[in-house]
Amino acid sequence: MRPIAFGWIDHDTSISPHWDRAQVLRLAKRLGYRLIWPDELSVLSVADQVRNSGADVVILPAPDHLGPLELNRVMGVADVETVLPRLSFARWAFGKVSP
């Protein structure tokens, strides 16, 4: 079974949501992920939807599709990949700090 990617497009930011959707799908396939999309009727935050879906990564068309506070919350539960520019962000590491 392939790992899960959560696709996210901010429709208020996107100039062409259909194009963004195709680009997110293409990147997910290239990275070997099975892509899922949010429930359009959900009132949950992106981070909560990602957590509930069990996704390993969130794929965005561009960094501006998540605000800084929501990006911080998402990175607490999953990695983040962006299509353009092509960037990768590892989730925050929590645990003991070595002396």
Side-chain angles (χ1 to χ4, degrees), residues 15 23 30 34 45 47 50 53-54 66 76 87 89:
I15 296 170
Q23 296 303 307
R30 190 173 67 176
R34 179 172 56 97
S45 70
V50 171
S53 72
L66 281 179
L87 299 170
F89 302 95

Side-chain angles (χ1 to χ4, degrees), residues 22-50:
Q23 296 303 307
V24 168
L25 178 59
R26 179 180 295 152
L27 181 57
K29 284 183 179 180
R30 190 173 67 176
L31 296 176
Y33 287 99
R34 179 172 56 97
L35 186 63
I36 62 171
W37 293 97
D39 178 356
E40 293 180 18
L41 301 176
S42 180
V43 295
L44 295 175
S45 70
V46 179
D48 289 336
Q49 291 182 67
V50 171

Side-chain angles (χ1 to χ4, degrees), residues 3-85:
I4 299 171
F6 188 87
W8 179 259
I9 297 170
D10 180 352
H11 291 279
D12 293 333
T13 301
S14 180
I15 296 170
S16 177
H18 295 293
W19 174 255
D20 286 343
R21 187 177 181 96
Q23 296 303 307
V24 168
L25 178 59
R26 179 180 295 152
L27 181 57
K29 284 183 179 180
R30 190 173 67 176
L31 296 176
Y33 287 99
R34 179 172 56 97
L35 186 63
I36 62 171
W37 293 97
D39 178 356
E40 293 180 18
L41 301 176
S42 180
V43 295
L44 295 175
S45 70
V46 179
D48 289 336
Q49 291 182 67
V50 171
R51 183 181 302 106
N52 291 344
S53 72
D56 300 295
V57 65
V58 176
I59 302 179
L60 309 169
D64 62 348
H65 283 254
L66 281 179
L69 296 177
E70 190 63 21
L71 177 60
N72 183 56
R73 290 189 64 217
V74 167
M75 289 181 65
V77 295
D79 298 338
V80 176
E81 301 279 345
T82 64
V83 175
L84 190 63

